[in-house]
Amino acid sequence: MYLKTLTIYGFGHFHDRTFTLDAGLNYLVGPNEAGKSTLTQFIVAILFGFPTKKHPELRYEPLDGSRFGGALTFVQAKTHYTVSRTAGPHGGTVTLHDNTTDLTLPATQLPKLLAPMDQLLFTQVYVINEPRLGQVFSASKQALIERLRHVGAVGSDYWLQRAQQMDKQADTLYKPQGRNPQLNQQLRTYQELTDKLDKANAAYETYWQLRQEQQQRQRQQADLQTQLQQQRRVTTTLTQRVSQWSTYVAWQRLAQNQQAAVSGFSATDATQLEQLRGQLTAAKQTLTADQQRIATAQQAAELPEFFQEYLPVAAQVDPLLTELPDVQLASQQQTALKTTRAELQRRATEIEAQFAQDGQMPRAFSLATTQQIDQLQQRLISANQQRRQLQQTLNQLNERYQQLQPAKAHATNPLADKQVVWLTMGLAVLIGAMFLPGAMFKLVGALLGVAVGYYGVFLVDSSTPASRQLQALTDDIRDSQAQLREKGRLIDDLTNQLDVIGTAHGLGHVPVEQWSATQAAIGEWERLTQQLETTDTQLATIAQKVTNFRQQLATVLPKLATSDDATLWQQLATIVRLKTSLKSQESELATIATRLTHDQAAVTSAQQQVTTFLRTRNLQQVDDFYDRYQVQRERASQAKQQAALAAQLGPENLAALQQVSDLAALQAQLQQAQAKQQTVQAQLDHCTERLATLAGQLAHLTTSGTQATLRQRRQNLVTEMQTTTEKWLVDRLASQWIETTLAAASGDRLPQIIAQASEFYGKLTENRYTKIELTSTTLQVQKQTGEWRTVSQLSRGTAEQLDLAVKLAFAVVMQQQVAMPLIIDDGFVNFDERRRQAAYALLAEISHKIQVILLTADTTVIQLATGRVSQLSD
């Protein structure tokens, strides 16, 4: 089979494009992003179906919205076919046309034309690129050996797996040198039971004597354990009391110092005294104030010096005195505004220290910016929630995938059961032929059994619903992973947009979560700045008013103008007061004299109440009361401490400690208890040791039971051994028959593949490696010098060349059974220049037998091209 034309309706960035191919070597040359991988996926998709929409990265849906799909024209068995595939369910809508006879064929005919090729085998062997060649390192050595050994028997994976399962099942039953297999363990158990039965027959009387002593020792052990538990409780209690002795001594000292409380010196009494003293102090203060008033009134006749200076200029000063209240209020406002300004400046400085960057405060958001940030944050929260949901879905899919894995090997369907029937029939014929007379009949019967088994292996489809379900889960997992990557890119984009906004407004050093609080602080700082400006303006106005007043006053009263504000306001107020007091001085003196008499009576009454309070408690001074009151408080505190210590000790321990004379006596009790405990412990240890000795002697005599029990166990074991042996023979014979059948089916092609791969590998490595050898356990290549190397000892490029040689050899050897084009998508990136040229020459050589489509960015192939060359542009 080879491809003639590729017609693309819409696939990736290609649309309405046609490529013509030859049956031999074809070069499609173009730079990165020119569409080489797109064309490779196009061929796979048209032949085997589009991936589901859960894997959009593999579908290559057209970027310009054109019709999704395309067509291939290929030649098979000298018949020309055209297959087209467009968007639709189940891998797309397929149309198949026979161009030779001009007939439209059913779509179900396409898999039959491609059989036995399927998408998995085609992509693993015939579609070659650097990642797939690189899998030679990630695959285990044994997996690579199995792949080469059985590559010649197409469709044998199921039966190989069944044979391996049967071998494993047989190995779990019996191994000649094994210890863990079931039959090996049963044989050892049988010998052990026989030995035990012999010993039990010889030691019956001794057994009963030891048994009676054992029962007596067990009763003694139980009594000693009870005594030991009781003695341990006594020892623990005494140890606790010894550790609490210091607490008991502190409680005892407080109890000895405790005295009965005396009434009259409580906190309530102290409060009452404070109230009486407060009343006395207030009465004395009122008396002193009234005495000062009368003295001031009596001295009023002697006018102050500044008042005498006022009298000549009263006409000029009186207009200023009318402004005095307003000026005083302005001065008070000035002081208050200074305090307010200092507080505003302090708060603004705190905000600048917290949020300013390099002395520059961040800018506030506009309404549109705030809305944009809210939208971005909501989208970011939603994206994070969706990503968590997708991660949960992916975890669930992975769990289902792991749950299906064990069941995959055992999943069956009618077709697989049919294969088992054919295989069983072949095994029956093969075994039956061994009993036929004559060598000729035996040979014919054996060949007939191999033929029947071969039919069941290779002509009956063995796919299972479990495998298809597992593939669907794999598709779902890849789709979830793609969506997770998309959500990650969206989250990064939203985060970058928020970072740009933060940098533009000077918030690059502030986390997004704190932007709201930062904006509130910025608003507060702007309000503080405005208030500072307003306060400065008010301060300037008020200061000007006070300054003008003092300047006017200085022109008429120069001495007063030099005083500070408090002295100045006091002197001016005195002038105003003296003006009025000169008129009412006589009547005021009479009023103050009457109030002094009342004040004196109040002081006398308060003093008498304090004296009475002290006398009722036999005290002379107030300080004596407070001394006695402090003593009462200390006694109450000691009582609380004593109660706390008693609660810490507990009633039982406190009573017990009171019966002990001193610490030495208590420690002596503890030592006696410990000694008794050690004695009981020693007796118990001796009894336990004797019981262990008796148990060992009894176990030595009887091991696993009495004679009757041992005989019954041995007979049961014989029955189990017969059943196990039958299972082992069935599994081992079936496995050997499957391996024999598959070896007969693939043995003629495997040596050809290995020989052809050795020849190709020598050409790719310029004869540095000349031979590939495959044994039952190892894969190695031979250098020209005769030295052998394993795959793990090769460089990456050399190992990829080995994988390429095997795949090319498979395609060449199997071309009669499976003729498919080779598609190579930039698969030689790890080859050096000389080996890359050798690879091009090898492709040109095998293109005479099979079609080769080479997609590469290496433009040097244009000068070396021996086939059709098509240019791809980016």
Side-chain angles (χ1 to χ4, degrees):
M1 171 184 173
Y2 68 90
L3 307 179
K4 289 188 63 179
T5 60
L6 311 179
T7 303
I8 303 176
Y9 307 149
F11 199 85
H13 69 274
F14 289 115
H15 64 91
D16 299 330
R17 184 79 179 270
T18 299
F19 296 90
T20 302
L21 304 174
D22 290 340
L25 182 58
N26 298 268
Y27 300 90
L28 285 86
V29 184
N32 293 334
E33 300 186 3
K36 298 185 293 298
S37 298
T38 303
L39 283 176
T40 302
Q41 184 63 25
F42 173 78
I43 296 173
V44 176
I46 298 301
L47 288 177
F48 299 101
F50 298 129
T52 63
K53 290 188 178 181
K54 295 180 181 180
H55 302 86
E57 72 280 1
L58 299 177
R59 285 175 61 84
Y60 288 87
E61 295 193 28
L63 304 179
D64 58 355
S66 57
R67 186 167 59 135
F68 181 35
L72 294 178
T73 300
F74 63 91
V75 179
Q76 183 173 353
K78 299 182 180 180
T79 302
H80 294 248
Y81 299 93
T82 298
V83 56
S84 64
R85 192 183 296 267
T86 56
H90 307 297
T93 302
V94 180
T95 301
L96 181 63
H97 188 77
D98 185 341
N99 299 335
T100 304
T101 60
D102 195 18
L103 292 176
T104 299
L105 304 177
T108 55
Q109 191 67 23
L110 179 59
K112 296 181 181 179
L113 290 175
L114 299 176
M117 183 61 59
D118 57 14
Q119 183 175 353
L120 180 62
L121 182 59
F122 183 69
T123 55
Q124 286 184 347
V125 177
Y126 290 89
V127 178
I128 300 173
N129 55 25
E130 190 275 332
R132 290 195 178 97
L133 289 178
Q135 291 175 357
V136 70
F137 271 133
S138 61
S140 67
K141 180 188 299 183
Q142 186 60 33
L144 186 58
I145 292 171
E146 291 297 327
R147 174 185 170 192
L148 291 176
R149 180 185 299 168
H150 303 295
V151 72
V154 178
S156 62
D157 291 342
Y158 172 79
W159 292 109
L160 288 172
Q161 189 176 14
R162 292 296 299 271
Q164 292 174 356
Q165 291 174 353
M166 292 178 179
D167 282 337
K168 290 180 180 178
Q169 291 174 1
D171 288 340
T172 60
L173 296 176
Y174 175 71
K175 284 184 179 180
Q177 302 299 325
R179 292 184 56 85
N180 296 324
Q182 184 176 354
L183 185 56
N184 296 73
Q185 295 179 4
Q186 290 172 343
L187 289 171
R188 289 198 304 273
T189 304
Y190 180 83
Q191 185 60 43
E192 291 172 358
L193 289 174
T194 301
D195 296 340
K196 291 177 182 177
L197 184 59
D198 294 339
K199 292 180 180 179
N201 292 330
Y204 186 73
E205 182 178 355
T206 304
Y207 166 80
W208 282 110
Q209 294 176 354
L210 294 176
R211 182 63 179 162
Q212 291 176 356
E213 183 181 358
Q214 184 186 44
Q215 292 174 353
Q216 294 174 356
R217 290 289 184 176
Q218 286 175 344
R219 289 192 295 270
Q220 181 185 5
Q221 183 187 45
D223 294 340
L224 290 173
Q225 287 176 344
T226 302
Q227 296 178 24
L228 181 61
Q229 291 177 355
Q230 295 174 352
Q231 192 59 38
R232 282 176 176 172
R233 286 194 292 270
V234 172
T235 303
T236 302
T237 301
L238 291 174
T239 301
Q240 181 182 10
R241 289 173 183 173
V242 169
S243 64
Q244 291 178 337
W245 181 260
S246 59
T247 304
Y248 170 71
V249 171
W251 176 86
Q252 197 174 38
R253 184 175 60 255
L254 291 174
Q256 293 173 354
N257 295 333
Q258 189 65 31
Q259 298 179 4
V262 179
S263 62
F265 296 93
S266 65
T268 303
D269 297 325
T271 302
Q272 181 183 358
L273 179 59
E274 287 297 322
Q275 292 175 351
L276 294 176
R277 293 182 65 194
Q279 294 174 3
L280 177 60
T281 301
K284 288 181 178 181
Q285 290 176 349
T286 303
L287 176 61
T288 301
D290 288 339
Q291 288 174 346
Q292 290 177 352
R293 289 191 185 95
I294 196 169
T296 301
Q298 291 173 351
Q299 294 175 1
E302 299 177 2
L303 299 176
E305 181 180 359
F306 63 86
F307 187 79
Q308 295 176 359
E309 294 178 356
Y310 151 79
L311 292 176
V313 292
Q316 292 84 1
V317 175
D318 288 343
L320 295 176
L321 293 178
T322 58
E323 299 176 8
L324 180 61
D326 294 336
V327 175
Q328 285 180 318
L329 178 60
S331 178
Q332 295 173 359
Q333 292 176 348
Q334 185 180 23
T335 303
L337 285 173
K338 287 181 180 179
T339 303
T340 301
R341 187 186 186 286
E343 179 61 24
L344 293 174
Q345 185 64 46
R346 182 191 64 77
R347 178 56 183 159
T349 303
E350 290 178 354
I351 295 175
E352 290 175 356
Q354 184 177 0
F355 297 100
Q357 185 72 10
D358 297 330
Q360 184 69 30
M361 280 292 293
R363 295 190 296 107
F365 294 146
S366 63
L367 179 60
T369 303
T370 302
Q371 294 175 350
Q372 181 184 4
I373 292 173
D374 292 340
Q375 293 174 358
L376 290 174
Q377 289 181 326
Q378 291 175 0
R379 290 178 62 193
L380 184 59
I381 293 172
S382 176
N384 281 318
Q385 292 175 348
Q386 293 175 3
R387 183 170 65 175
R388 286 193 295 271
Q389 294 174 356
L390 286 172
Q391 186 62 53
Q392 293 176 357
T393 302
L394 180 59
N395 293 340
Q396 294 173 357
L397 290 173
N398 283 327
E399 290 178 0
R400 291 181 57 193
Y401 182 90
Q402 293 298 329
Q403 292 172 359
L404 285 177
Q405 281 288 359
K408 179 181 178 183
H410 302 285
T412 60
N413 62 13
L415 292 176
D417 294 339
K418 189 173 182 181
Q419 287 181 326
V420 174
V421 172
W422 280 103
L423 183 60
T424 304
M425 291 172 59
L427 179 61
V429 173
L430 181 62
I431 296 174
M434 298 179 182
F435 298 98
L436 293 176
M440 180 58 68
F441 290 106
K442 291 183 179 180
L443 179 61
V444 172
L447 292 176
L448 180 59
V450 171
V452 172
Y454 181 81
Y455 175 81
V457 173
F458 302 105
L459 299 182
V460 178
D461 186 11
S462 61
S463 63
T464 65
S467 64
R468 292 190 291 272
Q469 185 178 3
L470 196 62
Q471 181 60 39
L473 275 176
T474 302
D475 295 340
D476 292 340
I477 289 172
R478 291 175 179 171
D479 181 54
S480 298
Q481 290 173 342
Q483 294 183 39
L484 272 175
R485 289 193 296 272
E486 182 63 27
K487 290 302 177 184
R489 289 192 290 270
L490 176 60
I491 290 171
D492 292 340
D493 180 62
L494 294 174
T495 304
N496 291 335
Q497 294 183 43
L498 288 171
D499 291 340
V500 170
I501 294 174
T503 302
H505 289 79
L507 292 171
H509 61 290
V510 180
V512 177
E513 297 80 5
Q514 300 179 9
W515 282 6
S516 178
T518 304
Q519 288 299 305
I522 294 172
E524 181 183 359
W525 179 80
E526 292 178 350
R527 290 192 300 273
L528 291 173
T529 304
Q530 294 176 356
Q531 291 177 5
L532 281 172
E533 294 176 359
T534 304
T535 302
D536 289 338
T537 303
Q538 294 176 352
L539 275 174
T541 301
I542 292 173
Q544 185 62 40
K545 183 175 182 179
V546 174
T547 301
N548 292 339
F549 178 83
R550 293 181 68 94
Q551 289 176 353
Q552 294 177 12
L553 185 63
T555 58
V556 292
L557 293 174
K559 293 183 179 180
L560 289 180
T562 59
S563 302
D564 55 31
D565 289 344
T567 303
L568 178 61
W569 308 139
Q570 181 180 2
Q571 291 174 344
L572 292 177
T574 301
I575 291 174
V576 174
R577 179 172 51 78
L578 289 175
K579 285 176 60 179
T580 57
S581 64
L582 290 175
K583 299 178 181 179
S584 59
Q585 183 175 7
E586 295 180 359
S587 60
E588 183 179 0
L589 286 173
T591 302
I592 294 174
T594 302
R595 195 160 57 237
L596 278 173
T597 302
H598 181 270
D599 293 342
Q600 187 63 48
V603 170
T604 301
S605 176
Q607 184 65 52
Q608 288 177 351
Q609 292 179 8
V610 172
T611 301
T612 301
F613 179 88
L614 295 174
R615 285 178 179 175
T616 57
R617 291 163 176 79
N618 297 321
L619 300 175
Q620 298 295 328
Q621 302 293 332
V622 174
D623 292 340
D624 297 336
F625 172 83
Y626 283 111
D627 291 342
R628 297 284 298 276
Y629 171 65
Q630 186 63 31
V631 170
Q632 289 296 102
R633 290 186 62 186
E634 291 177 356
R635 290 176 179 174
S637 176
Q638 290 177 355
K640 290 181 180 180
Q641 293 178 9
Q642 183 184 9
L645 292 176
Q648 182 178 352
L649 292 171
E652 183 179 353
N653 287 334
L654 181 59
L657 290 172
Q658 288 176 332
Q659 303 301 321
V660 180
S661 59
D662 53 17
L663 179 60
L666 183 61
Q667 289 175 341
Q669 295 178 8
L670 175 60
Q671 291 175 358
Q672 293 175 359
Q674 290 174 341
K676 186 175 181 181
Q677 178 181 337
Q678 291 175 357
T679 301
V680 175
Q681 182 67 56
Q683 295 174 355
L684 179 60
D685 292 342
H686 176 71
C687 183
T688 302
E689 290 176 0
R690 180 55 184 165
L691 281 172
T693 302
L694 291 173
Q697 293 174 347
L698 288 171
H700 180 70
L701 292 175
T702 61
T703 307
S704 299
T706 63
Q707 295 94 327
T709 302
L710 291 172
R711 279 194 291 269
Q712 184 61 45
R713 287 178 58 190
R714 188 172 66 172
Q715 185 59 38
N716 293 340
L717 183 60
V718 170
T719 303
E720 294 176 1
M721 290 168 60
Q722 291 175 350
T723 303
T724 304
T725 303
E726 292 174 358
K727 292 180 180 179
W728 177 80
L729 286 173
V730 171
D731 290 338
R732 182 62 72 189
L733 288 175
S735 172
Q736 291 175 355
W737 182 84
I738 291 174
E739 291 181 354
T740 302
T741 303
L742 293 178
S746 60
D748 59 335
R749 288 191 291 267
L750 182 57
Q752 298 178 40
I753 294 173
I754 297 301
Q756 188 67 72
S758 298
E759 179 184 347
F760 287 169
Y761 194 44
K763 292 179 179 181
L764 288 172
T765 60
E766 298 175 307
N767 290 322
R768 180 178 178 85
Y769 297 92
T770 58
K771 186 178 180 180
I772 300 174
E773 183 180 76
L774 180 65
T775 67
S776 59
T777 58
T778 60
L779 171 68
Q780 56 185 2
V781 293
Q782 188 178 37
K783 297 180 66 175
Q784 189 178 20
T785 59
E787 179 185 358
W788 290 92
R789 293 282 181 87
T790 62
V791 175
S792 61
Q793 293 175 322
L794 301 178
S795 67
R796 183 179 184 86
T798 306
E800 291 180 2
Q801 290 150 19
L802 172 60
D803 199 12
L804 175 64
V806 173
K807 290 181 177 179
L808 296 180
F810 177 86
V812 171
V813 173
M814 299 297 296
Q815 62 178 323
Q816 296 299 327
Q817 290 80 14
V818 184
M820 296 295 290
L822 276 169
I823 304 172
I824 304 171
D825 180 10
D826 267 340
F828 308 146
V829 295
N830 290 324
F831 293 14
D832 59 34
E833 182 62 29
R834 296 174 62 181
R835 294 193 179 184
R836 189 182 301 115
Q837 298 301 324
Y840 293 152
L842 180 57
L843 293 179
E845 177 184 339
I846 67 172
S847 66
H848 297 294
K849 300 178 181 179
I850 56 177
Q851 186 183 33
V852 178
I853 303 173
L854 175 62
L855 301 101
T856 180
D858 186 4
T859 57
T860 60
V861 300
I862 298 177
Q863 289 77 21
L864 304 174
T866 58
R868 179 185 290 271
V869 178
S870 299
Q871 291 281 354
L872 300 175
S873 60
D874 55 359

